[in-house]
Amino acid sequence: QSALTQPASVSGSPGQSITISCTGTSSDVGGYNYVSWYQQHPGKAPKLMIYDVSNRPSGVSNRFSGSKSGNTASLTISGLQAEDEADYYCSSYTSSSTQVFGGGTKLTVL
Amino acid sequence: EVQLVESGGGLVQPGRSLRLSCTASGFTFGDYAMSWVRQAPGKGLEWVGFIRSKAYGGTTEYAASVKGRFTISRDDSKSIAYLQMNSLKTEDTAVYYCTRDQDERYYFDYWGQGTLVTVSS
């Protein structure tokens, strides 16, 4: 199972919005509504930000939103803040009953 | 408060074995699936495998990279999940995280702090 494809890096200024894409195939992202997103600060464990494509866990800011179109899922962060600077990973269930992560995207807040 | 604490990491030679433990608290352990996810130094996350809850058969699934070498098990009476790693390779060097999952929902809602496994001669 190949890793999902994410851009290596994205950047934005405080207050702006950014979108991170996550591209898979019809055997993973496109075939199931089981896409999730994780935020990881340096030296820390990942944190769940979005599950089931677009649902936010309790306690996660509503500045974070998720969507999916075909084989590509997206994470949008609006009103960028300095503390959003981190690595972001998408994950999807697959037709092999396994799970697969994206390669990760480093978000820089300028 | 949900807590997951991994233990058992360390330095091991190629070809040897190591068993990691994940001790859970703050929730009814037996009601949840559990996964292991690893992260090689400076690299991204890689899903290793998971074990379903007994209600869903307690069965396991593994990534192709570890299938046949790694085994996940659970002891619901002790609230512990295990990752038995055999025939270790240098490319298995990573921080290993255990995570709490939702059966049939496929996302990782809580993570441990991770334990470092270094495979080197």
Side-chain angles (χ1 to χ4, degrees), chain A residues 33-49:
Chain A
N33 288 323
Y34 292 133
V35 176
S36 52
W37 289 90
Y38 303 86
Q39 176 192 66
Q40 186 180 34
H41 288 108
K44 301 294 186 181
K47 174 187 176 184
L48 176 67
M49 304 303 284

Side-chain angles (χ1 to χ4, degrees), chain A residues 34 38 40 45 52 89 98-99, chain B residues 39 47 104-106 108 112:
Chain A
Y34 292 133
Y38 303 86
Q40 186 180 34
D52 294 353
Y89 295 89
T98 62
Q99 299 197 59
Chain B
Q39 186 169 35
W47 178 79
E104 305 299 311
R105 294 298 300 279
Y106 311 113
F108 317 106

Side-chain angles (χ1 to χ4, degrees), chain A residues 18-97:
Chain A
I18 63 95
T19 297
I20 299 171
S21 61
C22 170
T23 301
T25 69
S26 58
S27 295
D28 39 63
V29 174
Y32 307 92
N33 288 323
Y34 292 133
V35 176
S36 52
W37 289 90
Y38 303 86
Q39 176 192 66
Q40 186 180 34
H41 288 108
K44 301 294 186 181
K47 174 187 176 184
L48 176 67
M49 304 303 284
I50 295 286
Y51 67 95
D52 294 353
V53 176
S54 61
N55 293 314
R56 267 188 320 275
S58 174
V60 172
S61 170
N62 59 9
R63 298 186 298 105
F64 292 82
S65 62
S67 63
K68 190 184 83 167
S69 178
N71 296 336
T72 298
S74 298
L75 173 71
T76 297
I77 308 173
S78 59
L80 266 180
Q81 299 180 1
E83 63 256 35
D84 298 333
E85 185 162 295
D87 294 327
Y88 291 84
Y89 295 89
C90 61
S91 178
S92 175
Y93 179 69
T94 82
S95 60
S96 302
S97 300

